[in-house]
Amino acid sequence: MRILVDSGQMKQCDKNTIEYFGVPSLILMERAALGVVEEIDRILSETSVVKEILIVCGFGNNGGDGLAIARLLWQKGYAVTVVMPPGAKTVSEETRVQMGILERYRIPIESRIPNREFDMVVDALFGIGLTRDLTGLCLEYVLEMNELRGKKVAVDIPSGINADTGAVMGAGFYADMTVTFAFAKLGLMLFPGAEYAGEVVVKEIGIDRCSFLAVKPNNFCLDFGDLCEIPCRKMHSNKGSYGKVLTIAGQKNMAGASYLSAKASYLTGAGLVKVVTPEENRIILQQLLPEAILETYGDALDNLEKVLSWASVIVAGPGLGMGANAKHIVKKVLRSATVPVILDADGLNLVADNPQWLKEAKGTVIVTPHLGEMARLIHEDVQVIQNRLLETAKEFAENYEVICVLKDARTVTAVPGGFAWVNDSGNNGMATAGSGDVLTGVLAGLIAQGMEPQYAASMGVYLHGLAGDVQTKERGAYGLMAQDILEGIARVLAEFSRQGKE
């Protein structure tokens, strides 16, 4: 699991490392520069021809990193051109030292970007401290760098990108790669910043978990190795050992949502899945998923308490509709169920009209809204939510004491207490009908097997994205369908099982 930080957390870690642990700032700067040079050397070392590299530096420590990078590249034999705005009155102490070193090596610093081509463009203009829109000469620099050919590398974060939100402040440097230090910054993970960052490489420079001191990190991102947290299959077990998923989904002519969610639960490892749906869906579901137990609304609504008591986890909402039956079901589930409840789609739309139901819930509730559903839940504009994705998810989780899975190109999973996971698996091919229904089934399958809901939520989002990535490599993004993601779940878990045995 990777730690993600905002600008304030990173600055405090940097300060703690220097002042508490006694690591000189210039040593951290030198290690950062070495990390970037290592990546540049890897990219450009394919031929023996001397490479032309442009490094554009600012006055802060990010600029100091750039100056150190220029010197190290020059010592390796690269042809470097260093550009820095004129008038160095506000230069940081460390950057002033680096300027002096370059002067003694007789490496010139220019004030304008030369009108010629470069093999690589390195952006060290602004770091994580930028809080205002780019203007003047710095804006010109960024626009000119974007127009140049050659590989583009950003130091720590692309200039113009907000380190906390990923917002573009006036303009942003388009990088093929961003080499960042110690921890990935939230602005590199959230869109639109993620699009500007390109490939993100995190380099160790001497700042680690210890640098948080007494304060605990609160934002994370999962890796493939984290799949080991999924409960193991025991040799001595049976279908009852892996939990019971109750999927209340579908209305007339909406059997697909029930099928996709229920099958995803089975593929993720649940032992039993019962689907409650209208009578009209019976034949379709029995043909598509004969493994599922089926109950229709006529029987289930009359004995809803008994039906709910059967389950280890409950899914309510996919394709459910907004009618009287749907309203009765969602209200009853939230007020009566003592097991975790995953609320999706129409379940969320019904709650948007009746938000007090969330406050009345007896068990743990996981909500899985996309941006439009969240807009209805909190009565806010979609664009506003998208611009503050992390904050919105955290606030909703805190206000309603639920686990909030806010779905977007970078899905955020937030839990009460201020902790969140930003997901970086998945791709644009997954923007297709039924993908969300598959996700609810994955979450339910993990919880049924005994995972704690807050970890199952973030893990399920990550696994769902990996499944989409595996399938997109073969089928492409345009033709990906929700049923393909189902197949991807089985493939990812099979691959992880094979790696675990090797």
Side-chain angles (χ1 to χ4, degrees):
M1 187 183 300
R2 289 170 281 157
I3 294 173
L4 307 178
V5 294
D6 60 29
S7 58
Q9 290 170 323
M10 190 64 234
K11 289 175 184 176
Q12 190 61 52
C13 284
D14 191 70
K15 182 179 179 181
N16 292 343
T17 304
I18 296 166
E19 296 182 0
Y20 181 81
F21 291 106
V23 181
S25 178
L26 278 169
I27 289 181
L28 297 177
M29 182 173 283
E30 199 72 10
R31 291 192 65 179
L34 285 166
V36 177
V37 169
E38 182 180 31
E39 292 302 315
I40 291 174
D41 207 30
R42 180 178 60 81
I43 295 170
L44 295 182
S45 62
E46 297 175 358
T47 67
S48 58
V49 178
V50 174
K51 301 297 193 302
E52 292 270 353
I53 303 177
L54 171 69
I55 304 107
V56 181
C57 305
F59 293 151
N61 279 358
N62 191 257
D65 294 339
L67 296 173
I69 291 164
R71 183 236 311 157
L72 293 169
L73 289 171
W74 178 82
Q75 290 175 324
K76 280 178 166 286
Y78 291 104
V80 299
T81 299
V82 183
V83 172
M84 195 174 191
K89 295 180 181 178
T90 58
V91 170
S92 71
E93 181 181 344
E94 293 83 356
T95 300
R96 194 174 297 281
V97 170
Q98 296 291 355
M99 290 175 70
I101 295 172
L102 255 62
E103 184 179 357
R104 286 185 284 277
Y105 274 105
R106 297 183 180 179
I107 301 172
I109 298 177
E110 303 180 29
S111 61
R112 300 296 311 196
I113 296 176
N115 184 23
R116 66 175 189 272
E117 291 300 325
F118 295 90
D119 298 291
M120 178 165 285
V121 178
V122 179
D123 165 33
L125 192 56
F126 289 103
I128 62 173
L130 185 66
T131 57
R132 55 182 173 78
D133 284 358
L134 296 179
T135 58
L137 185 58
C138 291
L139 175 60
E140 292 180 30
Y141 282 165
V142 169
L143 296 177
E144 288 180 48
M145 286 191 289
N146 284 341
E147 291 297 318
L148 291 172
R149 296 179 184 177
K151 292 285 186 179
K152 295 185 173 68
V153 174
V155 178
D156 209 15
I157 193 166
S159 292
I161 300 302
N162 187 291
D164 300 339
T165 67
V168 179
M169 295 182 285
F173 176 73
Y174 274 107
D176 297 301
M177 173 188 288
T178 296
V179 182
T180 195
F181 312 122
F183 311 107
K185 316 308 181 285
L186 284 165
L188 299 173
M189 304 295 292
L190 299 168
F191 281 95
E195 187 174 359
Y196 283 77
E199 179 189 358
V200 176
V201 177
V202 180
K203 288 292 186 179
E204 297 295 336
I205 63 170
I207 298 174
D208 58 16
R209 282 177 176 266
C210 296
S211 297
F212 281 91
L213 296 182
V215 178
K216 301 295 184 185
N218 61 347
N219 299 305
F220 307 94
C221 183
L222 297 181
D223 285 317
F224 191 77
D226 292 312
L227 293 178
C228 67
E229 298 299 324
I230 296 175
C232 295
R233 309 290 284 190
K234 299 176 182 178
M235 292 184 66
H236 187 198
S237 60
N238 55 61
K239 61 188 177 185
S241 305
Y242 303 112
K244 302 172 182 177
V245 176
L246 176 63
T247 302
I248 308 176
Q251 56 179 310
K252 184 179 179 180
N253 298 325
M254 290 288 286
S258 308
Y259 161 70
L260 292 168
S261 184
K263 186 166 184 178
S265 294
Y266 269 132
L267 289 170
T268 308
L272 288 164
V273 180
K274 178 183 289 188
V275 178
V276 176
T277 194
E279 176 64 34
E280 290 86 350
N281 296 337
R282 177 188 292 276
I283 295 175
I284 297 172
L285 287 173
Q286 286 177 332
Q287 291 175 337
L288 288 173
L289 193 63
E291 298 89 345
I293 305 165
L294 192 66
E295 281 199 46
T296 58
Y297 280 176
D299 299 326
L301 292 182
D302 293 337
N303 301 282
L304 196 52
E305 290 274 5
K306 183 179 179 181
V307 173
L308 297 179
S309 67
W310 172 87
S312 307
V313 57
I314 299 167
V315 172
L320 198 60
M322 297 289 287
N325 279 347
K327 184 174 181 179
H328 170 71
I329 289 168
V330 173
K331 183 178 180 180
K332 186 71 173 177
V333 166
L334 290 173
R335 286 183 170 181
S336 302
T338 56
V339 297
V341 173
I342 302 167
L343 208 58
D344 185 40
D346 288 326
L348 296 171
N349 293 328
L350 287 162
V351 164
D353 294 332
N354 304 275
Q356 73 278 6
W357 291 354
L358 288 179
K359 297 283 189 180
E360 296 168 356
K362 284 189 175 182
T364 301
V365 176
I366 301 174
V367 296
T368 61
H370 57 56
L371 296 179
E373 290 161 346
M374 180 56 83
R376 290 188 283 276
L377 284 167
I378 64 174
H379 308 290
E380 185 57 90
D381 184 74
V382 166
Q383 191 60 54
V384 172
I385 296 169
Q386 198 163 37
N387 290 342
R388 46 191 318 273
L389 201 69
L390 183 67
E391 296 89 338
T392 300
K394 285 187 175 184
E395 288 168 5
F396 194 87
E398 200 68 40
N399 291 340
Y400 288 95
E401 296 185 357
V402 299
I403 298 166
C404 180
V405 177
L406 181 50
K407 298 182 292 193
D408 195 25
R410 285 286 192 260
T411 294
V412 173
T413 301
V415 302
F419 293 90
W421 290 259
V422 180
N423 184 58
D424 67 348
S425 67
N427 59 81
N428 54 16
M430 299 175 71
T432 185
S435 179
D437 302 322
V438 174
L439 176 60
T440 61
V442 172
L443 303 185
L446 293 175
I447 294 172
Q449 294 171 79
M451 281 196 82
E452 288 293 323
Q454 67 176 18
Y455 301 119
S458 56
M459 182 67 72
V461 171
Y462 179 63
L463 173 58
H464 178 254
L466 287 180
D469 288 338
V470 165
Q471 295 299 90
T472 300
K473 286 180 182 178
E474 289 193 3
R475 300 177 181 273
Y478 288 97
L480 196 72
M481 297 179 67
Q483 292 188 74
D484 299 323
I485 303 173
L486 290 173
E487 183 182 336
I489 295 167
R491 292 182 63 188
V492 170
L493 292 177
E495 175 62 26
F496 181 76
S497 295
R498 281 193 294 271
Q499 290 190 17
K501 292 177 182 177
E502 293 174 356

